[in-house]
Amino acid sequence: MSVSKEAAAAVAKKTSNEFNIASFAYSAFKKIATVGCIYFFGYMNWSVGWFVAPIIFLIMREQWKEAADTKRNIAKTAALSNERDVVLARLDELPAWVFFPDVERVEWLNRIIQQVWPNVNNYTRELIRDTIQPIIQESLEAYKMKGFKFERIILGSIPVRIGGVKVYDKNTDRNEIIMDLDVFYAGDCDITFYVAGIKGGIKDLQLKGMMRVVMKPLISSIPLVGGVQVFFLNNPEIDFNLVGVADLLDMPGLGDLFRKVITEIIASMLVLPNKYSMKLSEEVETIDVKAPEPEGVLRVHVVEAKHLMKKDLGVLGGGKSDPYAVITVGAQEYKTGVVKNSLDPKWDYWCEFVITEVYGQQLFIHLWDLDDALDDENLGRATVDISNIVKQEQADMWLTLENAKHGMVHLRFTWLSLSNNVNDLKAALIEAQLLGTEKVSTALLCVFVDSARNLPLARQSSQPDPYAVLRLGNSTKQTQIIMRNPEPVWEEGFVFRVQNPNNDILHLRIVDKKTGHDIGSLEYSIKNLLNKDSMAVNKEPFRLQKSGTDSRIIWSLSLKILKLSGLTHESLAEQNNEPVVIVDEKSPLLAQTSNSSGASRSPERSPTRTLPKQSSIESWQEDRIDDSSVHLESSVPINDTSCDRIIHRNPSQTSSSGDAGLGRLQLTLQYSTQRQKLVVIVHKIAHIPQRDPSNIPDPYVKLYLLPGRSKESKRKTATIKDNCNPVFEESFEYLISQNELLNKKLEITVCTQKAMFYSSSNILGQVVIDLCKLEIDKSYSSWFDLQPEYSHE
């Protein structure tokens, strides 16, 4: 039975009238409520801020949600579109290297995914509840949000889409197949959960990233591939919409907490160096598929930044920022310290990344301004392709910051390959010692925890729920939990950075989940591997301590030495045992300055003294010299161990008060090329003139880099009370490149806290050292004559 046009129009008109009436009533109610609120605020004599602030807050929230909803709707529309349209529309977004064999093949691949999507849906539901839910619970408890639990998990009918494919035919082993997939998901999921007694939900979940699939080893029988590894090269982009009561939290800074937790979980499971591995054939050993295979280590020196944006605005437009940097490679992340009130911060921060895939992976450095009250503000970011660093092996570069009006960041990179030769350890130890920081390593330890046997019961009449915890230094790794099994099979691999294989120890604990008690432990000295063939043991059983007599852990261990191409123990020993110059008051380092009488000083260089070369790393580490004229002062508090070899005169008193009669100052200088750092040690002052026995000076020493005499370059010793021969033995550092060193002078000023009656100034004397005459990698020590205060700029 058909409906006439007149009837349909009447119904539409009636509906429209009802809608207009409802809309009018709603609009009138809002106006009345607004006027009533204003009247109430005025009646209560409350500040207008109590009225304006919520309105501004709601307007900002609506704008933010509108922008987010628009972005999600566009992505969802793309996900529902024809495969050909999606692929062609994303050509501008995809990386230049993405390869399209033809659009039909991508369509074919997407149809396969759509066909198996219901099964993927069921598998993912179980994975989320069994694996991801406990991790989310633990992560949210750190933020005082307890009781997290999924109620419903439905991924919906819209499957993951493949936008582009690249199959590698270069830089690969012939026993493997590697391909990259541009993956994006914008589905119609329906997920509900409870947290802290509040019911919430997630809709419009979106994920986009570059996924790599590695199939290896290739075998001659079905299925032709021994195993498969799936992982993201870098952290994927993740977004979703919170609904229900949790929608109140969906604000920048609050809803970001959930995004952060979910991003961290995905990174811990699927972002390099973490992989999802599956063995497909019994012909292949599990360790060949699931054990991590690092290609090397990327050592990064975050030196400094300059010309950063001002985020902390001050009076009259002034102000600075409190910058820090976050450096990430895949799931690995490091964070520098915060430099307060600076637009040109110097961090001198070292970190290392274990690299398992050179091609396709990137390093990101993101600069932030610390804000205690609000969210940290963006100062810009930069990206570096790791493959370019590997080709160069070493790089020193200034990078212009993206997403910022201005600013640059200074980074230094070193690519370290892996060696099975134990003889390369000596050079690695020397290099780490020269860098002088505990954040660098000399080797990698690859551990594959296979299984355990005959574990004891942690409680009566109940099988243990064991998991293994491994710790080396400050790094801790943990296997999955195997429920109710005294002979668990984990088959999980881990990589640890080793500072010194001669000293480091790997600690293993096997813990029962329910009781939290240890049911087995083991300590393994890394140096034991140095005597093994190829520095490795393969699936060997080790007896567990604090366990049953028959309890064993079966694991594989492999030590890899970090090696810079062309760097050997002999070359380092020769480089770092060059002639050490012992400098006296005639040192050419002194800048030619005019004294009070107008005469200029033109000193000459003193003879050099050569140290004997050490024949072993042990003697190098001890670094002691038995000599009456030179020795190593180990008590000097040097932060940079590259200067542990600084040589200076015996601290015997000098009998001279200097040419100007103001006393003499003993200093040691050393420049480290590895760390690009100048170290100055103020040892002592001798024979400060005492003209009034009742007014003995309280001396201290100030240091500045010239020209400029900036606040950042100021250094100062402690004050020694009532002393004309003070001993300081204090070390100071300047982060400065070799090019900058050529244009700098070091001003050392001796002052007193007491006002001397015979002088209008508290300055007792000065020395200016021309750093352009400082020879790299040599140590200088000297007594310098203090001169009257003079003009030098």
Side-chain angles (χ1 to χ4, degrees):
M1 179 177 175
S2 61
V3 181
S4 65
K5 293 182 180 181
E6 293 79 4
V11 172
K13 183 177 181 180
K14 180 180 179 181
T15 304
S16 177
N17 291 335
E18 291 175 353
F19 176 78
N20 290 335
I21 294 173
S23 177
F24 174 78
Y26 177 71
S27 178
F29 175 76
K30 286 202 303 182
K31 290 180 173 60
I32 293 172
T34 302
V35 173
C37 289
I38 295 174
Y39 175 79
F40 179 75
F41 274 78
Y43 179 79
M44 298 297 294
N45 292 323
W46 287 354
S47 170
V48 69
W50 289 93
F51 177 72
V52 175
I55 293 178
I56 296 176
F57 179 79
L58 291 174
I59 291 174
M60 292 176 60
R61 183 177 187 273
E62 289 298 325
Q63 291 179 344
W64 179 81
K65 285 183 65 66
E66 183 178 352
D69 290 342
T70 301
K71 181 180 178 181
R72 295 188 187 103
N73 290 335
I74 292 174
K76 185 181 292 185
T77 302
L80 291 169
S81 301
N82 178 270
E83 283 86 355
R84 179 185 296 270
D85 297 337
V86 171
V87 173
L88 295 178
R90 300 197 70 215
L91 281 175
D92 293 336
E93 300 179 19
L94 295 176
W97 53 260
V98 172
F99 169 66
F100 296 90
D102 54 55
V103 177
E104 284 73 18
R105 294 186 185 181
V106 178
E107 292 180 7
W108 174 77
L109 185 58
N110 281 321
R111 289 195 187 104
I112 293 178
I113 295 175
Q114 186 172 9
Q115 189 73 20
V116 301
W117 184 247
N119 295 332
V120 173
N121 205 332
N122 294 332
Y123 172 77
T124 305
R125 186 185 302 115
E126 295 178 1
L127 176 66
I128 291 176
R129 281 192 171 143
D130 296 342
T131 304
I132 297 180
Q133 179 172 287
I135 301 176
I136 296 179
Q137 289 174 347
E138 184 177 353
S139 299
L140 290 178
E141 285 178 358
Y143 298 95
K144 309 301 181 183
M145 302 179 70
K146 299 182 179 181
F148 180 88
K149 184 179 181 181
F150 283 109
E151 182 188 41
R152 181 174 67 250
I153 303 173
I154 301 175
L155 293 185
S157 58
I158 303 176
V160 171
R161 290 295 183 90
I162 305 299
V165 179
K166 177 181 180 179
V167 180
Y168 285 86
D169 56 355
K170 296 180 180 179
N171 302 311
T172 61
D173 192 284
R174 65 179 183 179
N175 199 33
E176 65 183 4
I177 298 174
I178 300 177
M179 61 180 178
D180 289 345
L181 309 176
D182 178 59
V183 177
F184 67 101
Y185 170 74
D188 53 345
C189 71
D190 184 9
I191 300 174
T192 59
F193 58 84
Y194 283 93
V195 58
I198 299 176
K199 183 177 180 180
I202 295 176
K203 287 190 175 181
D204 301 325
L205 175 64
Q206 296 179 21
L207 182 146
K208 182 172 70 173
M210 195 62 60
M211 176 177 286
R212 176 163 293 180
V213 179
V214 179
M215 292 174 282
K216 68 175 185 181
L218 304 181
I219 57 178
S220 57
S221 59
I222 299 297
L224 303 181
V225 176
V228 62
Q229 298 174 344
V230 179
F231 50 88
F232 285 101
L233 292 167
N234 301 292
N235 282 313
E237 299 178 17
I238 299 173
D239 193 17
F240 53 82
N241 185 26
L242 289 175
V243 296
V245 179
D247 184 41
L248 297 175
L249 300 178
D250 200 9
M251 286 290 298
L254 295 176
D256 289 347
L257 171 61
F258 287 91
R259 292 175 180 83
K260 178 182 178 182
V261 170
I262 292 178
T263 300
E264 289 175 349
I265 292 172
I266 293 178
S268 66
M269 299 175 64
L270 283 174
V271 179
L272 281 179
N274 305 304
K275 303 178 181 180
Y276 177 77
S277 303
M278 182 183 300
K279 188 174 76 168
L280 302 179
S281 173
E282 294 300 326
E283 296 182 14
V284 178
E285 291 288 337
T286 305
I287 190 172
D288 295 333
V289 178
K290 294 189 175 184
E293 299 178 3
E295 294 194 33
V297 168
L298 180 64
R299 181 175 292 163
V300 182
H301 184 195
V302 185
V303 185
E304 58 188 323
K306 64 181 180 181
H307 307 321
L308 299 182
M309 295 186 295
K310 298 178 181 179
K311 291 296 184 178
D312 303 331
L313 296 181
V315 182
L316 301 177
K320 294 187 178 181
S321 295
D322 302 324
Y324 67 91
V326 178
I327 315 98
T328 59
V329 173
Q332 304 173 78
E333 179 178 290
Y334 293 94
K335 178 181 176 182
T336 69
V338 178
V339 179
K340 291 289 187 178
N341 299 319
S342 178
L343 300 179
D344 302 295
K346 293 192 175 184
W347 291 291
D348 188 25
Y349 182 82
W350 292 82
C351 56
E352 292 180 335
F353 297 93
V354 178
I355 305 300
T356 55
E357 299 286 335
V358 168
Y359 294 94
Q361 200 167 19
Q362 295 175 316
L363 177 141
F364 299 94
I365 180 166
H366 205 151
L367 271 58
W368 297 92
D369 169 49
L370 180 67
D371 195 324
D372 296 331
L374 303 173
D375 291 336
D376 294 349
E377 297 185 82
N378 175 43
L379 293 175
R381 61 177 290 177
T383 306
V384 178
D385 286 328
I386 293 177
S387 60
N388 293 335
I389 303 299
V390 174
K391 294 175 183 177
Q392 301 177 53
E393 292 189 346
Q394 289 185 311
D396 188 330
M397 59 183 67
W398 279 94
L399 302 174
T400 301
L401 296 174
E402 305 170 359
N403 301 327
K405 293 181 180 179
H406 49 78
M408 300 181 73
V409 62
H410 184 194
L411 301 177
R412 299 171 65 220
F413 301 96
T414 302
W415 172 252
L416 301 163
S417 58
L418 304 183
S419 169
N420 293 325
N421 188 349
V422 68
N423 295 325
D424 291 328
L425 178 60
K426 293 181 179 180
L429 288 170
I430 293 177
E431 176 72 4
Q433 193 84 339
L434 289 172
L435 290 176
T437 173
E438 296 180 354
K439 295 182 179 179
V440 300
S441 50
T442 61
L444 291 184
L445 177 66
C446 302
V447 183
F448 182 75
V449 184
D450 184 85
S451 58
R453 297 177 185 171
N454 302 318
L455 294 180
L457 301 180
R459 51 197 182 280
Q460 293 182 352
S461 67
S462 180
Q463 301 287 1
D465 300 333
Y467 64 93
V469 179
L470 299 97
R471 178 175 60 85
L472 180 61
N474 296 324
S475 180
T476 302
K477 311 287 186 181
Q478 179 178 316
T479 68
Q480 62 181 334
I481 301 170
I482 306 297
M483 303 300 292
R484 293 177 290 280
N485 196 331
E487 298 194 352
V489 177
W490 291 292
E491 294 181 336
E492 295 185 46
F494 307 98
V495 177
F496 294 91
R497 293 187 298 114
V498 181
Q499 287 188 353
N500 190 337
N502 292 312
N503 303 327
D504 289 354
I505 296 177
L506 177 64
H507 300 268
L508 168 74
R509 296 166 49 229
I510 298 181
V511 185
D512 175 61
K513 171 64 176 177
K514 287 186 178 179
T515 63
H517 295 159
D518 292 357
I519 55 178
S521 64
L522 178 64
E523 293 185 355
Y524 186 85
S525 297
I526 309 301
K527 65 181 180 181
N528 293 335
L529 292 172
L530 299 176
N531 300 320
K532 304 288 184 180
D533 293 339
S534 299
M535 297 185 293
V537 295
N538 185 26
K539 292 185 69 172
E540 290 190 11
F542 287 79
R543 181 177 176 179
L544 292 171
Q545 303 170 354
K546 301 179 182 179
S547 189
T549 56
D550 296 329
S551 298
R552 298 288 187 275
I553 180 74
I554 294 89
W555 61 4
S556 299
L557 304 171
S558 177
L559 187 66
K560 307 290 184 181
I561 307 301
L562 303 187
K563 181 180 180 180
L564 178 63
S565 178
L567 189 65
T568 64
H569 167 57
E570 289 75 15
S571 63
L572 268 175
E574 182 177 356
Q575 172 187 345
N576 291 284
N577 284 279
E578 292 180 347
V580 178
V581 180
I582 309 302
V583 190
D584 58 14
E585 60 272 14
K586 303 299 183 180
S587 170
L589 297 177
L590 287 173
Q592 292 192 7
T593 55
S594 297
N595 57 23
S596 56
S597 62
S600 63
R601 294 174 291 170
S602 181
E604 299 179 357
R605 174 166 301 192
S606 65
T608 62
R609 184 180 186 89
T610 305
L611 298 179
K613 296 181 181 180
Q614 288 78 16
S615 59
S616 66
I617 186 64
E618 290 77 12
S619 61
W620 184 91
Q621 289 174 325
E622 292 175 1
D623 202 8
R624 294 291 184 266
I625 303 173
D626 184 14
D627 192 285
S628 60
S629 61
V630 293
H631 76 284
L632 179 67
E633 185 107 49
S634 59
S635 62
V636 177
I638 304 174
N639 295 326
D640 188 345
T641 58
S642 66
C643 299
D644 285 349
R645 301 180 59 257
I646 287 177
I647 307 300
H648 58 79
R649 294 186 183 276
N650 279 323
S652 59
Q653 293 289 348
T654 175
S655 59
S656 172
S657 296
D659 294 340
L662 298 178
R664 309 186 77 200
L665 172 67
Q666 189 188 34
L667 298 174
T668 296
L669 291 88
Q670 167 81 24
Y671 184 77
S672 169
T673 55
Q674 285 84 359
R675 299 205 65 181
Q676 294 199 337
K677 182 177 291 185
L678 173 68
V679 178
V680 181
I681 304 176
V682 180
H683 295 293
K684 61 175 62 178
I685 304 173
H687 300 300
I688 297 175
Q690 180 182 348
R691 302 183 183 180
D692 181 4
S694 64
N695 194 12
I696 303 175
D698 298 339
Y700 64 91
V701 179
K702 289 192 304 184
L703 297 88
Y704 282 101
L705 284 180
L706 306 178
R709 201 191 276 112
S710 64
K711 182 179 178 181
E712 288 76 13
S713 72
K714 181 180 179 180
R715 305 290 188 269
K716 181 181 176 182
T717 68
T719 301
I720 307 297
K721 294 289 186 179
D722 298 326
N723 201 320
C724 291
N725 296 282
V727 177
F728 298 98
E729 297 296 356
E730 293 191 40
S731 175
F732 303 97
E733 299 178 349
Y734 290 98
L735 188 64
I736 183 172
S737 68
Q738 296 183 32
N739 292 333
E740 291 178 300
L741 198 69
L742 299 177
N743 302 315
K744 294 292 184 180
K745 296 180 181 179
L746 180 66
E747 177 193 80
I748 306 102
T749 305
V750 179
C751 305
T752 175
Q753 280 193 341
K754 290 180 181 177
M756 309 302 289
F757 73 92
Y758 52 84
S759 174
S760 60
S761 171
N762 70 334
I763 295 179
L764 301 178
Q766 283 186 336
V767 173
V768 176
I769 296 177
D770 196 345
L771 297 180
C772 71
K773 299 177 181 178
L774 178 68
E775 295 187 34
I776 303 303
D777 288 336
K778 291 186 179 180
S779 303
Y780 296 85
S781 183
S782 177
W783 284 98
F784 297 92
D785 290 348
L786 292 177
Q787 300 294 328
E789 183 181 6
Y790 43 77
S791 175
H792 41 73
E793 293 187 81

